[in-house]
Coordinates of all heavy atoms in Angstrom, one line a residue:
A69 N 21.8 -32.6 -27.9 CA 22.8 -32.6 -26.9 C 23.0 -31.1 -26.4 O 23.0 -30.2 -27.1 CB 24.1 -33.1 -27.4
S70 N 23.1 -31.0 -25.1 CA 23.3 -29.7 -24.5 C 24.8 -29.5 -24.2 O 25.6 -30.5 -24.1 CB 22.5 -29.5 -23.2 OG 23.0 -30.5 -22.3
G71 N 25.2 -28.3 -24.1 CA 26.6 -28.0 -23.9 C 27.0 -26.7 -24.6 O 26.2 -26.0 -25.2
Y72 N 28.3 -26.4 -24.5 CA 28.9 -25.3 -25.1 C 29.8 -25.7 -26.2 O 30.6 -26.7 -26.0 CB 29.6 -24.4 -24.1 CG 28.7 -23.9 -23.0 CD1 28.7 -24.4 -21.8 CD2 27.8 -22.9 -23.3 CE1 27.9 -24.0 -20.8 CE2 26.9 -22.4 -22.3 CZ 27.0 -22.9 -21.0 OH 26.1 -22.5 -20.1
Y73 N 29.8 -25.0 -27.3 CA 30.7 -25.4 -28.4 C 31.5 -24.2 -28.9 O 30.9 -23.1 -29.2 CB 29.9 -25.9 -29.6 CG 29.0 -27.1 -29.2 CD1 27.7 -27.0 -28.8 CD2 29.6 -28.4 -29.2 CE1 27.0 -28.1 -28.4 CE2 28.9 -29.5 -28.8 CZ 27.5 -29.3 -28.4 OH 26.8 -30.4 -28.0
I74 N 32.8 -24.3 -28.9 CA 33.6 -23.2 -29.4 C 34.4 -23.8 -30.6 O 34.9 -24.9 -30.6 CB 34.6 -22.7 -28.3 CG1 35.3 -21.4 -28.8 CG2 35.5 -23.7 -27.8 CD1 35.8 -20.5 -27.7
S75 N 34.6 -23.0 -31.6 CA 35.3 -23.4 -32.7 C 36.0 -22.2 -33.3 O 35.7 -21.0 -33.0 CB 34.5 -24.1 -33.8 OG 33.5 -23.2 -34.3
R76 N 36.9 -22.5 -34.2 CA 37.6 -21.4 -34.9 C 37.8 -21.8 -36.3 O 38.2 -23.0 -36.6 CB 39.0 -21.2 -34.2 CG 39.9 -20.1 -34.8 CD 41.1 -20.0 -34.1 NE 42.0 -19.0 -34.7 CZ 43.3 -18.8 -34.3 NH1 43.8 -19.5 -33.3 NH2 44.0 -18.0 -34.9
W77 N 37.4 -21.0 -37.3 CA 37.6 -21.3 -38.7 C 38.2 -20.1 -39.4 O 37.9 -19.0 -39.1 CB 36.3 -21.9 -39.3 CG 35.1 -21.0 -39.3 CD1 34.1 -21.0 -38.3 CD2 34.7 -20.0 -40.2 NE1 33.2 -20.1 -38.6 CE2 33.5 -19.4 -39.8 CE3 35.3 -19.5 -41.4 CZ2 32.9 -18.4 -40.4 CZ3 34.7 -18.5 -42.0 CH2 33.4 -18.0 -41.6
T78 N 39.0 -20.5 -40.4 CA 39.7 -19.5 -41.2 C 39.3 -19.7 -42.7 O 39.0 -20.8 -43.0 CB 41.2 -19.5 -41.1 OG1 41.7 -20.8 -41.5 CG2 41.6 -19.3 -39.6
K79 N 39.3 -18.7 -43.4 CA 39.1 -18.8 -44.8 C 39.9 -17.7 -45.6 O 40.2 -16.7 -45.1 CB 37.6 -18.9 -45.2 CG 36.9 -17.6 -45.1 CD 35.5 -17.8 -45.7 CE 34.5 -17.0 -44.9 NZ 33.1 -17.2 -45.5
C80 N 40.1 -18.1 -46.8 CA 40.8 -17.2 -47.8 C 39.9 -16.9 -48.9 O 39.3 -17.9 -49.5 CB 42.1 -17.8 -48.2 SG 43.3 -18.3 -46.9
I81 N 39.7 -15.7 -49.3 CA 38.8 -15.3 -50.4 C 39.6 -14.5 -51.4 O 40.3 -13.6 -51.0 CB 37.6 -14.5 -49.9 CG1 36.9 -15.3 -48.8 CG2 36.7 -14.1 -51.0 CD1 35.9 -14.4 -48.0
H82 N 39.4 -14.8 -52.7 CA 40.0 -14.0 -53.8 C 39.2 -14.3 -55.0 O 38.5 -15.3 -55.2 CB 41.5 -14.4 -53.9 CG 41.7 -15.7 -54.6 ND1 41.8 -15.9 -55.9 CD2 41.9 -16.9 -54.0 CE1 42.0 -17.2 -56.1 NE2 42.0 -17.8 -55.0
S83 N 39.4 -13.3 -56.0 CA 38.7 -13.5 -57.3 C 39.7 -13.3 -58.4 O 39.4 -13.6 -59.5 CB 37.5 -12.6 -57.4 OG 37.9 -11.3 -57.3
S84 N 40.8 -12.7 -58.1 CA 41.8 -12.4 -59.2 C 42.8 -13.6 -59.4 O 43.1 -14.3 -58.4 CB 42.6 -11.1 -58.9 OG 43.4 -11.3 -57.8
H85 N 43.3 -13.7 -60.6 CA 44.2 -14.8 -60.9 C 45.6 -14.6 -60.2 O 46.3 -15.5 -60.0 CB 44.4 -15.0 -62.4 CG 43.1 -15.5 -63.0 ND1 42.7 -16.8 -62.8 CD2 42.2 -15.0 -63.8 CE1 41.6 -17.0 -63.5 NE2 41.3 -15.9 -64.1
D86 N 45.9 -13.3 -60.0 CA 47.2 -13.0 -59.4 C 47.1 -12.9 -57.8 O 48.1 -12.5 -57.2 CB 47.8 -11.7 -60.0 CG 47.0 -10.5 -59.6 OD1 45.9 -10.6 -59.0 OD2 47.5 -9.4 -60.0
F87 N 46.0 -13.1 -57.3 CA 45.7 -13.1 -55.8 C 45.9 -11.8 -55.2 O 46.1 -11.7 -54.0 CB 46.6 -14.2 -55.1 CG 46.6 -15.5 -55.7 CD1 47.8 -16.1 -56.1 CD2 45.4 -16.2 -55.9 CE1 47.8 -17.4 -56.7 CE2 45.4 -17.4 -56.5 CZ 46.6 -18.0 -56.9
S88 N 45.9 -10.7 -56.0 CA 46.1 -9.4 -55.4 C 45.0 -8.9 -54.5 O 45.2 -8.0 -53.7 CB 46.3 -8.4 -56.6 OG 45.2 -8.3 -57.4
D89 N 43.8 -9.5 -54.6 CA 42.7 -9.1 -53.8 C 42.4 -10.1 -52.7 O 41.3 -10.2 -52.1 CB 41.4 -9.0 -54.7 CG 41.0 -10.3 -55.3 OD1 41.8 -11.2 -55.4 OD2 39.9 -10.3 -55.8
M90 N 43.4 -10.9 -52.3 CA 43.3 -12.0 -51.3 C 42.9 -11.4 -50.0 O 43.5 -10.4 -49.5 CB 44.6 -12.8 -51.2 CG 44.5 -13.9 -50.2 SD 43.6 -15.3 -50.8 CE 44.6 -16.0 -52.1
V91 N 41.9 -12.0 -49.3 CA 41.5 -11.6 -48.0 C 41.6 -12.8 -47.1 O 41.1 -13.9 -47.4 CB 40.0 -11.1 -48.0 CG1 39.6 -10.7 -46.6 CG2 39.9 -9.9 -48.9
Y92 N 42.1 -12.7 -45.9 CA 42.2 -13.7 -44.9 C 41.2 -13.4 -43.8 O 41.2 -12.3 -43.3 CB 43.6 -13.8 -44.3 CG 43.8 -14.7 -43.1 CD1 43.7 -16.1 -43.2 CD2 44.0 -14.1 -41.9 CE1 43.9 -16.9 -42.1 CE2 44.1 -14.9 -40.8 CZ 44.1 -16.3 -40.9 OH 44.2 -17.1 -39.8
I93 N 40.4 -14.3 -43.4 CA 39.4 -14.1 -42.3 C 39.6 -15.2 -41.3 O 39.7 -16.4 -41.6 CB 38.0 -14.1 -42.9 CG1 37.8 -13.0 -43.9 CG2 37.0 -14.1 -41.7 CD1 36.5 -13.0 -44.6
D94 N 39.7 -14.9 -40.0 CA 39.9 -15.8 -38.9 C 38.7 -15.5 -37.9 O 38.6 -14.5 -37.3 CB 41.2 -15.5 -38.2 CG 41.5 -16.6 -37.2 OD1 40.8 -17.5 -36.9 OD2 42.6 -16.4 -36.5
N95 N 37.8 -16.5 -37.8 CA 36.6 -16.4 -37.0 C 36.7 -17.2 -35.7 O 37.1 -18.4 -35.8 CB 35.3 -16.8 -37.7 CG 34.9 -15.8 -38.7 OD1 34.6 -14.7 -38.4 ND2 34.9 -16.2 -40.0
Y96 N 36.3 -16.7 -34.6 CA 36.2 -17.4 -33.4 C 34.7 -17.5 -33.1 O 34.0 -16.5 -33.1 CB 36.8 -16.7 -32.2 CG 38.3 -16.6 -32.3 CD1 38.9 -15.7 -33.2 CD2 39.1 -17.3 -31.5 CE1 40.3 -15.6 -33.3 CE2 40.5 -17.2 -31.6 CZ 41.1 -16.4 -32.5 OH 42.5 -16.3 -32.6
V97 N 34.2 -18.8 -32.9 CA 32.8 -19.0 -32.9 C 32.4 -19.7 -31.6 O 33.1 -20.6 -31.1 CB 32.4 -20.0 -34.1 CG1 30.9 -20.2 -34.1 CG2 32.8 -19.4 -35.4
F98 N 31.3 -19.2 -31.0 CA 30.8 -19.8 -29.7 C 29.3 -20.1 -29.9 O 28.6 -19.2 -30.2 CB 31.0 -18.9 -28.5 CG 30.5 -19.4 -27.2 CD1 31.2 -20.4 -26.6 CD2 29.3 -19.0 -26.7 CE1 30.7 -21.0 -25.4 CE2 28.8 -19.5 -25.5 CZ 29.5 -20.5 -24.9
N99 N 29.0 -21.4 -29.8 CA 27.6 -21.8 -30.1 C 27.0 -21.3 -31.4 O 25.9 -20.7 -31.4 CB 26.7 -21.5 -28.9 CG 27.0 -22.4 -27.7 OD1 27.7 -23.4 -27.8 ND2 26.3 -22.1 -26.6
K100 N 27.8 -21.4 -32.4 CA 27.4 -21.1 -33.8 C 27.4 -19.6 -34.1 O 27.0 -19.1 -35.1 CB 26.0 -21.7 -34.2 CG 26.0 -23.2 -34.1 CD 24.7 -23.7 -34.5 CE 24.7 -25.2 -34.4 NZ 23.4 -25.8 -34.8
D101 N 27.8 -18.7 -33.1 CA 27.8 -17.3 -33.3 C 29.3 -16.8 -33.3 O 30.0 -17.1 -32.4 CB 27.0 -16.6 -32.2 CG 25.5 -16.8 -32.3 OD1 25.0 -16.9 -33.4 OD2 24.9 -17.0 -31.3
V102 N 29.6 -16.0 -34.4 CA 31.0 -15.4 -34.4 C 31.0 -14.4 -33.3 O 30.2 -13.5 -33.3 CB 31.3 -14.8 -35.8 CG1 32.6 -14.0 -35.7 CG2 31.3 -15.9 -36.8
F103 N 32.0 -14.5 -32.4 CA 32.1 -13.4 -31.4 C 33.3 -12.6 -31.5 O 33.4 -11.5 -31.0 CB 32.0 -14.0 -29.9 CG 33.2 -14.9 -29.5 CD1 34.2 -14.3 -28.8 CD2 33.3 -16.2 -29.9 CE1 35.3 -15.1 -28.3 CE2 34.3 -17.0 -29.5 CZ 35.3 -16.4 -28.7
I104 N 34.3 -13.0 -32.3 CA 35.4 -12.2 -32.6 C 36.0 -12.6 -34.0 O 35.9 -13.8 -34.4 CB 36.5 -12.3 -31.5 CG1 37.6 -11.3 -31.8 CG2 37.1 -13.7 -31.4 CD1 38.6 -11.1 -30.7
Q105 N 36.4 -11.6 -34.8 CA 36.9 -11.9 -36.1 C 38.1 -11.0 -36.4 O 38.2 -9.8 -36.1 CB 35.8 -11.6 -37.1 CG 36.2 -11.9 -38.6 CD 35.1 -11.5 -39.5 OE1 35.0 -10.3 -39.8 NE2 34.4 -12.5 -40.0
F106 N 39.1 -11.7 -37.1 CA 40.2 -10.9 -37.7 C 39.9 -11.0 -39.2 O 39.7 -12.0 -39.8 CB 41.6 -11.5 -37.4 CG 42.7 -10.8 -38.1 CD1 43.3 -9.7 -37.5 CD2 43.1 -11.2 -39.4 CE1 44.3 -9.0 -38.2 CE2 44.1 -10.5 -40.1 CZ 44.7 -9.4 -39.4
N107 N 40.0 -9.8 -39.9 CA 39.8 -9.7 -41.3 C 41.0 -8.9 -41.8 O 41.2 -7.8 -41.3 CB 38.5 -9.0 -41.6 CG 38.2 -8.9 -43.1 OD1 39.1 -8.6 -43.9 ND2 36.9 -9.2 -43.5
S108 N 41.7 -9.4 -42.8 CA 42.9 -8.8 -43.2 C 42.7 -7.4 -43.9 O 43.6 -6.6 -43.9 CB 43.7 -9.7 -44.2 OG 43.0 -10.0 -45.3
T109 N 41.5 -7.2 -44.4 CA 41.2 -5.9 -45.0 C 41.0 -4.8 -43.9 O 41.3 -3.7 -44.1 CB 39.9 -5.9 -45.9 OG1 38.8 -6.4 -45.1 CG2 40.1 -6.8 -47.1
V110 N 40.6 -5.3 -42.7 CA 40.5 -4.3 -41.6 C 41.8 -4.2 -40.9 O 42.2 -3.1 -40.4 CB 39.4 -4.8 -40.6 CG1 39.3 -4.0 -39.3 CG2 38.0 -4.9 -41.3
G111 N 42.6 -5.3 -40.8 CA 43.9 -5.3 -40.2 C 43.9 -5.5 -38.7 O 45.0 -5.4 -38.1
E112 N 42.8 -5.7 -38.1 CA 42.7 -6.0 -36.6 C 41.5 -6.8 -36.3 O 40.7 -7.0 -37.1 CB 42.8 -4.6 -35.9 CG 41.5 -3.8 -36.1 CD 41.6 -2.4 -35.4 OE1 42.7 -2.0 -35.0 OE2 40.6 -1.8 -35.2
Y113 N 41.4 -7.2 -35.0 CA 40.3 -7.9 -34.6 C 39.1 -7.0 -34.3 O 39.3 -5.9 -33.8 CB 40.6 -8.6 -33.2 CG 41.6 -9.8 -33.4 CD1 43.0 -9.6 -33.3 CD2 41.2 -11.1 -33.7 CE1 43.9 -10.6 -33.4 CE2 42.1 -12.1 -33.8 CZ 43.4 -11.9 -33.7 OH 44.3 -12.9 -33.8
V114 N 37.9 -7.6 -34.5 CA 36.6 -6.9 -34.2 C 35.8 -7.8 -33.4 O 35.7 -9.0 -33.7 CB 35.9 -6.5 -35.5 CG1 34.5 -5.9 -35.2 CG2 36.7 -5.6 -36.4
G115 N 35.3 -7.3 -32.3 CA 34.4 -8.1 -31.4 C 33.0 -7.8 -31.7 O 32.6 -6.7 -32.0
Y116 N 32.1 -8.9 -31.6 CA 30.7 -8.8 -31.9 C 29.8 -9.0 -30.7 O 28.6 -8.9 -30.8 CB 30.3 -9.7 -33.0 CG 31.0 -9.4 -34.3 CD1 32.1 -10.2 -34.8 CD2 30.6 -8.3 -35.1 CE1 32.8 -9.9 -36.0 CE2 31.3 -8.0 -36.3 CZ 32.3 -8.8 -36.7 OH 33.0 -8.5 -37.9
T117 N 30.4 -9.4 -29.6 CA 29.7 -9.6 -28.3 C 30.5 -8.9 -27.3 O 31.7 -8.4 -27.5 CB 29.6 -11.1 -28.0 OG1 30.9 -11.6 -27.8 CG2 28.9 -11.9 -29.1
E118 N 30.0 -8.9 -26.1 CA 30.8 -8.3 -25.0 C 32.1 -9.0 -24.8 O 33.2 -8.4 -24.6 CB 30.0 -8.3 -23.7 CG 30.6 -7.6 -22.5 CD 29.7 -7.6 -21.3 OE1 28.5 -7.9 -21.4 OE2 30.3 -7.3 -20.2
L119 N 32.1 -10.3 -24.8 CA 33.3 -11.1 -24.7 C 34.2 -10.8 -25.9 O 35.5 -10.7 -25.7 CB 33.0 -12.6 -24.5 CG 34.2 -13.5 -24.5 CD1 35.1 -13.2 -23.3 CD2 33.8 -15.0 -24.5
G120 N 33.7 -10.8 -27.0 CA 34.4 -10.5 -28.3 C 35.1 -9.2 -28.3 O 36.3 -9.1 -28.6
V121 N 34.4 -8.2 -27.8 CA 35.0 -6.8 -27.7 C 36.2 -6.8 -26.7 O 37.2 -6.2 -27.0 CB 33.9 -5.8 -27.3 CG1 34.5 -4.4 -27.0 CG2 32.9 -5.6 -28.5
H122 N 36.0 -7.5 -25.6 CA 37.0 -7.6 -24.6 C 38.3 -8.3 -25.2 O 39.4 -7.8 -25.1 CB 36.5 -8.3 -23.4 CG 37.6 -8.6 -22.4 ND1 38.1 -7.6 -21.5 CD2 38.3 -9.7 -22.1 CE1 39.1 -8.2 -20.8 NE2 39.1 -9.5 -21.1
N123 N 38.1 -9.4 -25.8 CA 39.2 -10.2 -26.4 C 39.8 -9.4 -27.6 O 41.0 -9.5 -27.8 CB 38.7 -11.6 -26.9 CG 38.5 -12.5 -25.7 OD1 39.3 -12.4 -24.7 ND2 37.5 -13.3 -25.8
A124 N 39.0 -8.7 -28.4 CA 39.6 -8.0 -29.5 C 40.5 -6.9 -29.0 O 41.6 -6.7 -29.6 CB 38.4 -7.3 -30.3
R125 N 40.1 -6.2 -27.9 CA 41.0 -5.2 -27.3 C 42.3 -5.8 -26.9 O 43.4 -5.3 -27.1 CB 40.3 -4.6 -26.1 CG 41.0 -3.4 -25.6 CD 40.2 -2.7 -24.5 NE 38.8 -2.4 -24.8 CZ 37.7 -2.9 -24.3 NH1 37.8 -3.8 -23.3 NH2 36.5 -2.6 -24.7
L126 N 42.3 -7.0 -26.2 CA 43.5 -7.7 -25.8 C 44.3 -8.1 -27.0 O 45.6 -7.9 -27.0 CB 43.1 -8.9 -24.9 CG 42.5 -8.7 -23.6 CD1 42.1 -10.0 -23.0 CD2 43.4 -7.9 -22.7
F127 N 43.7 -8.7 -28.0 CA 44.4 -9.2 -29.1 C 45.1 -8.1 -29.9 O 46.2 -8.2 -30.4 CB 43.5 -10.0 -30.1 CG 43.0 -11.3 -29.5 CD1 42.1 -12.0 -30.2 CD2 43.5 -11.8 -28.3 CE1 41.6 -13.2 -29.7 CE2 43.0 -13.0 -27.8 CZ 42.0 -13.7 -28.5
N128 N 44.3 -7.0 -30.1 CA 44.8 -5.8 -30.8 C 46.0 -5.1 -30.1 O 46.7 -4.4 -30.8 CB 43.7 -4.8 -31.1 CG 42.7 -5.4 -32.2 OD1 43.1 -6.2 -33.0 ND2 41.5 -5.0 -32.1
N129 N 46.1 -5.3 -28.8 CA 47.2 -4.7 -28.1 C 48.4 -5.6 -28.0 O 49.4 -5.3 -27.3 CB 46.7 -4.3 -26.7 CG 45.9 -3.1 -26.7 OD1 46.1 -2.1 -27.4 ND2 44.8 -3.0 -25.8
N130 N 48.4 -6.7 -28.7 CA 49.5 -7.6 -28.8 C 50.1 -7.6 -30.2 O 49.6 -8.2 -31.1 CB 49.0 -9.1 -28.4 CG 50.1 -10.1 -28.4 OD1 51.2 -9.9 -29.0 ND2 49.8 -11.2 -27.8
P131 N 51.2 -6.8 -30.3 CA 51.7 -6.6 -31.7 C 52.2 -7.9 -32.3 O 52.0 -8.0 -33.6 CB 53.0 -5.7 -31.4 CG 52.8 -5.1 -30.1 CD 51.9 -6.0 -29.3
G132 N 52.7 -8.9 -31.6 CA 53.1 -10.1 -32.2 C 51.9 -10.9 -32.7 O 52.0 -11.5 -33.8
Q133 N 50.8 -10.9 -32.0 CA 49.6 -11.6 -32.5 C 49.1 -10.9 -33.8 O 48.7 -11.6 -34.7 CB 48.5 -11.6 -31.4 CG 47.4 -12.5 -31.8 CD 46.5 -12.9 -30.6 OE1 46.8 -12.5 -29.5 NE2 45.4 -13.5 -30.9
L134 N 49.0 -9.6 -33.8 CA 48.5 -8.9 -35.0 C 49.4 -9.2 -36.2 O 49.0 -9.4 -37.3 CB 48.4 -7.4 -34.7 CG 47.1 -6.9 -34.0 CD1 47.2 -5.4 -33.8 CD2 45.9 -7.3 -34.8
Q135 N 50.7 -9.1 -35.9 CA 51.7 -9.3 -37.0 C 51.5 -10.7 -37.6 O 51.6 -10.9 -38.8 CB 53.1 -9.1 -36.5 CG 54.2 -9.3 -37.5 CD 55.6 -9.1 -37.0 OE1 55.8 -8.9 -35.8 NE2 56.6 -9.2 -37.8
G136 N 51.3 -11.7 -36.7 CA 51.1 -13.1 -37.2 C 49.9 -13.2 -38.0 O 49.9 -13.9 -39.0
E137 N 48.8 -12.6 -37.6 CA 47.6 -12.7 -38.3 C 47.7 -12.0 -39.7 O 47.2 -12.5 -40.7 CB 46.4 -12.1 -37.6 CG 45.9 -12.9 -36.4 CD 45.0 -14.1 -36.8 OE1 45.4 -14.9 -37.7 OE2 43.9 -14.1 -36.3
R138 N 48.3 -10.8 -39.7 CA 48.5 -10.1 -41.0 C 49.3 -10.9 -41.9 O 49.1 -10.8 -43.1 CB 49.1 -8.7 -40.7 CG 48.1 -7.8 -39.9 CD 48.7 -6.5 -39.5 NE 47.8 -5.7 -38.8 CZ 48.1 -4.7 -37.9 NH1 49.4 -4.5 -37.6 NH2 47.2 -4.0 -37.3
A139 N 50.3 -11.6 -41.4 CA 51.2 -12.4 -42.3 C 50.5 -13.6 -42.9 O 51.0 -14.2 -43.9 CB 52.4 -12.9 -41.5
Q140 N 49.3 -14.0 -42.4 CA 48.6 -15.2 -43.0 C 48.2 -15.0 -44.4 O 48.0 -15.9 -45.1 CB 47.4 -15.5 -42.1 CG 47.8 -16.0 -40.7 CD 48.7 -17.3 -40.7 OE1 48.5 -18.1 -41.6 NE2 49.6 -17.3 -39.8
V141 N 48.0 -13.7 -44.8 CA 47.5 -13.5 -46.2 C 48.6 -14.1 -47.2 O 48.2 -14.8 -48.1 CB 47.3 -12.0 -46.5 CG1 47.1 -11.7 -48.0 CG2 46.2 -11.4 -45.7
D142 N 49.8 -13.8 -46.9 CA 50.9 -14.3 -47.8 C 51.3 -15.7 -47.4 O 51.4 -16.6 -48.3 CB 52.1 -13.4 -47.8 CG 51.9 -12.1 -48.4 OD1 51.2 -12.0 -49.5 OD2 52.4 -11.1 -47.9
G143 N 51.6 -16.0 -46.2 CA 52.1 -17.3 -45.7 C 51.1 -18.4 -45.8 O 51.5 -19.6 -46.0
Y144 N 49.9 -18.2 -45.6 CA 48.8 -19.2 -45.6 C 48.0 -19.1 -46.9 O 47.9 -20.1 -47.7 CB 48.0 -19.1 -44.4 CG 46.8 -20.1 -44.3 CD1 47.1 -21.4 -44.2 CD2 45.5 -19.6 -44.4 CE1 46.0 -22.3 -44.1 CE2 44.5 -20.5 -44.4 CZ 44.7 -21.9 -44.2 OH 43.7 -22.8 -44.2
C145 N 47.3 -18.0 -47.1 CA 46.4 -17.9 -48.2 C 47.0 -18.0 -49.6 O 46.7 -18.8 -50.4 CB 45.6 -16.6 -48.1 SG 44.4 -16.6 -46.7
K146 N 47.9 -17.0 -49.9 CA 48.5 -17.0 -51.2 C 49.4 -18.2 -51.5 O 49.4 -18.7 -52.6 CB 49.4 -15.7 -51.3 CG 48.5 -14.5 -51.5 CD 49.3 -13.2 -51.7 CE 48.4 -12.0 -51.7 NZ 49.2 -10.7 -51.9
H147 N 50.1 -18.7 -50.4 CA 50.9 -19.8 -50.6 C 50.1 -21.0 -51.0 O 50.4 -21.7 -52.0 CB 51.6 -20.1 -49.3 CG 52.3 -21.5 -49.3 ND1 53.5 -21.7 -49.9 CD2 52.0 -22.6 -48.7 CE1 53.9 -22.9 -49.7 NE2 53.0 -23.5 -49.0
N148 N 49.0 -21.3 -50.3 CA 48.2 -22.5 -50.7 C 47.4 -22.3 -52.0 O 47.2 -23.2 -52.7 CB 47.2 -22.8 -49.5 CG 47.9 -23.4 -48.4 OD1 48.7 -24.4 -48.5 ND2 47.7 -22.9 -47.2
A149 N 47.0 -21.0 -52.3 CA 46.3 -20.8 -53.5 C 47.2 -21.0 -54.7 O 46.8 -21.5 -55.7 CB 45.8 -19.3 -53.5
E150 N 48.5 -20.6 -54.6 CA 49.4 -20.9 -55.6 C 49.6 -22.4 -55.9 O 49.7 -22.8 -57.0 CB 50.8 -20.2 -55.3 CG 50.7 -18.7 -55.4 CD 51.9 -18.0 -54.8 OE1 52.8 -18.7 -54.2 OE2 52.0 -16.7 -54.9
I151 N 49.7 -23.1 -54.8 CA 49.9 -24.6 -54.9 C 48.7 -25.2 -55.6 O 48.8 -26.0 -56.6 CB 50.1 -25.2 -53.6 CG1 51.4 -24.9 -53.0 CG2 49.9 -26.8 -53.6 CD1 51.6 -25.3 -51.5
R152 N 47.5 -24.8 -55.2 CA 46.3 -25.3 -55.9 C 46.1 -24.9 -57.3 O 45.7 -25.7 -58.2 CB 45.0 -24.9 -55.1 CG 44.9 -25.5 -53.7 CD 43.7 -25.1 -53.0 NE 43.7 -25.7 -51.7 CZ 43.9 -25.0 -50.5 NH1 44.1 -23.7 -50.6 NH2 43.9 -25.6 -49.4
Q153 N 46.5 -23.6 -57.6 CA 46.4 -23.2 -59.0 C 47.4 -23.9 -59.9 O 47.0 -24.3 -61.0 CB 46.7 -21.7 -59.0 CG 46.5 -21.1 -60.4 CD 46.6 -19.6 -60.4 OE1 47.2 -19.0 -59.6 NE2 46.1 -18.9 -61.4
T154 N 48.5 -24.2 -59.4 CA 49.5 -25.0 -60.1 C 49.0 -26.4 -60.4 O 49.1 -26.9 -61.5 CB 50.9 -25.0 -59.4 OG1 51.4 -23.7 -59.2 CG2 51.9 -25.8 -60.2
A155 N 48.5 -27.0 -59.4 CA 47.9 -28.4 -59.5 C 46.8 -28.4 -60.5 O 46.7 -29.4 -61.4 CB 47.5 -28.9 -58.2
I156 N 46.0 -27.4 -60.5 CA 44.8 -27.4 -61.5 C 45.4 -27.1 -62.9 O 45.0 -27.8 -63.9 CB 43.8 -26.3 -61.1 CG1 43.1 -26.8 -59.8 CG2 42.8 -26.1 -62.2 CD1 42.3 -25.7 -59.1
A157 N 46.3 -26.2 -63.0 CA 46.9 -25.9 -64.3 C 47.6 -27.0 -65.0 O 47.5 -27.2 -66.2 CB 47.8 -24.6 -64.2
D158 N 48.3 -27.8 -64.1 CA 49.0 -29.0 -64.6 C 48.1 -30.1 -65.2 O 48.5 -30.9 -66.0 CB 49.9 -29.6 -63.5 CG 51.1 -28.7 -63.2 OD1 51.4 -27.8 -64.0 OD2 51.7 -29.0 -62.1
K159 N 46.8 -30.1 -64.8 CA 45.9 -31.1 -65.2 C 45.1 -30.7 -66.4 O 44.4 -31.5 -67.0 CB 45.0 -31.5 -64.1 CG 45.7 -32.1 -62.9 CD 44.7 -32.7 -61.9 CE 45.4 -33.2 -60.7 NZ 46.4 -34.2 -60.9
T160 N 45.2 -29.5 -66.8 CA 44.4 -29.0 -68.0 C 45.2 -29.1 -69.3 O 46.4 -29.3 -69.3 CB 43.9 -27.6 -67.8 OG1 45.1 -26.7 -67.6 CG2 43.0 -27.5 -66.7

């Protein structure tokens, strides 16, 4: 099938039990290629294509958007990891 496909996927990565090394990644994908990414260790958006660089500049100049993305480490990643860890620990 021909056409254009855009998607967005997020993930949380950690290896410590206390989640102190938690990383939040938010990818914007066009036709299977990441064109812009927010990584909590970097703290801002990075563009990988001409469009991505343009959008990264716009997103990074929006304090509310950056603040929202930075907050995802605690509000989304750590919160859900704690729920999952509790569920697993209760079953052992």
Side-chain angles (χ1 to χ4, degrees):
S70 62
Y72 299 104
Y73 302 95
I74 189 160
S75 63
R76 182 176 174 189
W77 57 267
T78 61
K79 72 173 145 178
C80 304
I81 303 169
H82 71 92
S83 60
S84 66
H85 292 290
D86 65 355
F87 312 124
S88 60
D89 62 345
M90 184 70 72
V91 177
Y92 170 73
I93 299 172
D94 187 2
N95 286 299
Y96 293 74
V97 182
F98 180 74
N99 285 353
K100 299 182 182 179
D101 292 321
V102 174
F103 69 98
I104 187 170
Q105 179 184 80
F106 178 87
N107 183 316
S108 64
T109 58
V110 176
E112 64 182 18
Y113 290 91
V114 175
Y116 297 102
T117 64
E118 185 177 345
L119 176 62
V121 170
H122 172 76
N123 285 324
R125 190 176 307 115
L126 293 174
F127 294 171
N128 289 331
N129 285 323
N130 182 338
Q133 187 164 355
L134 276 180
Q135 181 181 4
E137 286 282 57
R138 291 172 180 156
Q140 293 300 323
V141 173
D142 291 321
Y144 175 69
C145 291
K146 288 182 182 178
H147 171 75
N148 286 312
E150 289 167 356
I151 290 170
R152 290 184 185 105
Q153 186 175 20
T154 300
I156 291 167
D158 288 348
K159 296 193 184 303
T160 57

